[in-house]
Amino acid sequence: MPTQKRTLLTRFLIWRIKYISQNQFVYLISIVVGFLAGVGAVILKNLTHFIQHLLEGNLIEYYHTAFYFIFPILGLLVVYLIIKYVIRNKVSHGIPSTLFAISKKKGFIKRYQMFGSILTAPLTVGFGGSVGLEGPTVATGAAISSNLSRVLHLNQANRTLLIGCAAAGAMASIFKAPIAALIFAIEVFSLDLTLASMLPLLLASISGILTSYFFFGNDVLLPFKNTDPFTLSDVPFFMILGVVAGFTSVYFTKVYAFFQDFFEKISSPAKRLIIGGIGLGVLIYFIPPLYGEGFDVINNLVKGNPELALQNNIFQLELSSIWIVIALLVGLLLFKIIASSLTFGAGGVGGIFAPVLFMGSIMGNVVSKILNNCGLLSTPISESNFTLVGMAGLLAGVLYAPLTAIFLIAEVTGGYELFIPLMITAAISFSITKYFIPHSVYAMELGRKGDLITHNKDHAVLTLMDIQTVIERDFIAIYPQMNLGEIVHQAIVKSKRNLFPVLNKETNALEGIILLDDLRPVMFDQNLYEEVKASELMHSAPELIYLNEDKMTDVMKKFQDTGAWNLPVINNGAYYGFVSKSKLLTAYRRKLIDFSGK
């Protein structure tokens, strides 16, 4: 049977090469990828809602607040057991893992990732984990598109493009916002904005949203209709919102990074589960609105019903006072990212897109409430508008995706009435966050390591290159105590190179280099063969390349700064080989061709 499958696949690929051009084939596959990503979104969403309905309705007749503490821990425990005994591999559930696969794995993603998130993300969120489903949905679609590309023998450029198509299809299916989904794929995955990439992304986005309509009809995740018009007098207040969104984005990113570093230091998954699970359970017990994704809270805020979002507060505070409402909302704003970080730290599978929308909606609502109740405005501003624009402000700041933020809110509100305030708030928030934090939450870890793909094509190609492929090791070593005669007979005569590393005989550490040009004035004078030592002829290398520290961008900069044609490579303090500029540029040109798909 496997042989027959291979034969059918081979026949199909041969037929495709004969009758369908590469571009046309990518267009067709992008539609398939968008559909599969949409189906993945449907499965994840339905499984999550089924689990939530089961827990809150059918299994427990009287839902007690104690279960807010129990359910998240129970869900995380089940996820831990599934990952350990069923999947038996780490589940890459978020967009950062997909970015890493693009930058360092040539777009190849393990097969088990196609179902890993589907098995674990609904359990995490359904049992109350304070994360979203968008990241796992994109990761699932990306894994499907990667493995489909591998089966169909597509090159790296098309493989990367189809991963972007999966992201567009997934986001279009989730939010029913095809333009925002397309822009999301371009902004987050740093895809080239060309006609060759635009059309597949558009086809995948359309395919994803049609899949969503087929399964869910006209139901949308964020059912907003903008009714309050934008007025020019509101511009200063939206600028204030942009500033608040910027600093809230910095808070979000710093807290997220702190907890990520904290849990990385804990080597035992069981300990992480206990610490993160108990912390999350306690938080949700005292602040029930942190349970799950939180889209109900967002919808209540937009509709002007904050009391419905806050009515389960453990303190049983009277919600008739607007300042108590504001204080409780600020508490939700501050603790949501902590709850999300604890969910991730405990081993939960989810994404941060929903927490960003959650915090953004609360932030915008709080800013509007404070402005309306401080006694300075003669005409109140629209709390609904500020709630919506607040989501865009935080998306722009945290995810470094201002265009996605603008178009997402514009599309879910069914119009472009808020386009100007969306642009103002998103631009200010993005600028402030960018000033304090160099990389988005998605790209933070890769950015620190220099492994991040960016819209700068030169930088992107260098990031994709592997330094090991350009290291040459066929150099004959010389030792400092060797005399000129030994150098001539043991090195120059046998070597095809004009460069010789001078090494410490015991430690193999590089002490210097000798060029053939350094030897020419003396190498033919046999009277000097016994007198001149290598230590007298050697000189320092213009720069050193450190194998485990320097990225290809660093290597290229060192060649640029020194003007050298060869630089020595050091590995753990010892000499390892040389990188030549000519081989580096040749490898760069080849990778550029692969990257561009030309």
Side-chain angles (χ1 to χ4, degrees), residues 48-83:
T48 304
H49 289 181
F50 173 74
I51 292 171
Q52 288 175 338
H53 176 70
L54 202 64
L55 294 177
E56 297 179 16
N58 297 346
L59 277 185
I60 298 175
E61 188 175 355
Y62 300 103
Y63 197 66
H64 192 271
T65 52
F67 290 112
Y68 283 124
F69 174 77
I70 296 170
F71 283 157
I73 299 174
L74 184 61
L76 291 169
L77 176 62
V78 175
V79 168
Y80 169 78
L81 294 174
I82 288 175
I83 291 174

Side-chain angles (χ1 to χ4, degrees), residues 316-344:
Q316 298 300 317
L317 295 174
E318 180 58 48
L319 298 178
S320 58
S321 170
I322 188 62
W323 295 107
I324 290 178
V325 171
I326 290 173
L328 289 173
L329 289 173
V330 169
L332 282 180
L333 173 66
L334 295 175
F335 284 106
K336 179 64 176 182
I337 180 55
I338 298 175
S340 299
S341 300
L342 290 171
T343 306
F344 289 126

Side-chain angles (χ1 to χ4, degrees), residues 161-333:
L161 176 59
L162 288 177
I163 289 175
C165 289
M171 295 300 287
S173 179
I174 292 169
F175 292 104
K176 287 189 168 69
I179 303 301
L182 185 152
I183 294 171
F184 173 82
I186 293 170
E187 279 193 305
V188 173
F189 292 94
S190 297
L191 299 175
D192 275 347
L193 187 58
T194 62
L195 185 61
S197 63
M198 181 66 75
L199 189 53
L201 289 170
L202 186 59
L203 292 171
S205 187
I206 293 169
S207 181
I209 193 172
L210 290 177
T211 305
S212 180
Y213 272 111
F214 178 79
F215 285 101
F216 296 127
N218 292 323
D219 290 344
V220 291
L221 194 61
L222 301 171
F224 307 142
K225 289 296 176 185
N226 182 42
T227 55
D228 299 325
F230 161 72
T231 59
L232 189 63
S233 60
D234 290 340
V235 168
F237 306 121
F238 283 111
M239 293 175 70
I240 293 172
L241 180 61
V243 173
V244 175
F247 285 105
T248 306
S249 300
V250 173
Y251 165 77
F252 185 108
T253 308
K254 294 282 188 183
V255 172
Y256 180 81
F258 169 80
F259 278 99
Q260 203 174 37
D261 294 338
F262 172 77
F263 280 103
E264 279 181 1
K265 293 174 184 175
I266 303 172
S267 57
S268 169
K271 286 183 180 177
R272 290 200 293 266
L273 171 63
I274 293 169
I275 294 171
I278 293 175
L280 177 64
V282 170
L283 261 185
I284 294 178
Y285 177 77
F286 285 104
I287 313 175
L290 297 178
Y291 188 93
E293 292 180 281
F295 283 110
D296 289 342
V297 174
I298 298 173
N299 290 327
N300 286 326
L301 290 178
V302 174
K303 293 172 183 175
N305 303 318
E307 64 280 354
L308 293 177
L310 301 171
Q311 62 186 357
N312 288 332
N313 71 86
I314 195 69
F315 308 106
Q316 298 300 317
L317 295 174
E318 180 58 48
L319 298 178
S320 58
S321 170
I322 188 62
W323 295 107
I324 290 178
V325 171
I326 290 173
L328 289 173
L329 289 173
V330 169
L332 282 180
L333 173 66

Side-chain angles (χ1 to χ4, degrees), residues 103-104 106 450-451 461-473 544-559 567-571 576-580 583-584 587-588 591:
S103 65
K104 305 309 290 181
K106 298 182 178 180
D451 292 335
V461 172
L462 288 171
T463 301
L464 290 167
M465 291 173 62
D466 182 1
I467 191 173
Q468 287 282 5
T469 61
V470 294
I471 296 176
E472 300 174 273
R473 305 196 64 184
L544 301 176
I545 296 171
Y546 296 95
L547 183 62
N548 297 320
E549 299 174 20
D550 288 340
K551 303 298 176 184
M552 292 303 294
T553 48
D554 303 319
V555 174
M556 188 67 86
K557 188 174 188 307
K558 287 182 178 183
F559 275 107
L567 290 177
V569 180
I570 307 300
N571 183 25
Y576 188 76
F578 276 86
V579 172
S580 72
K583 185 160 186 175
L584 179 63
Y588 170 82
K591 182 61 71 175

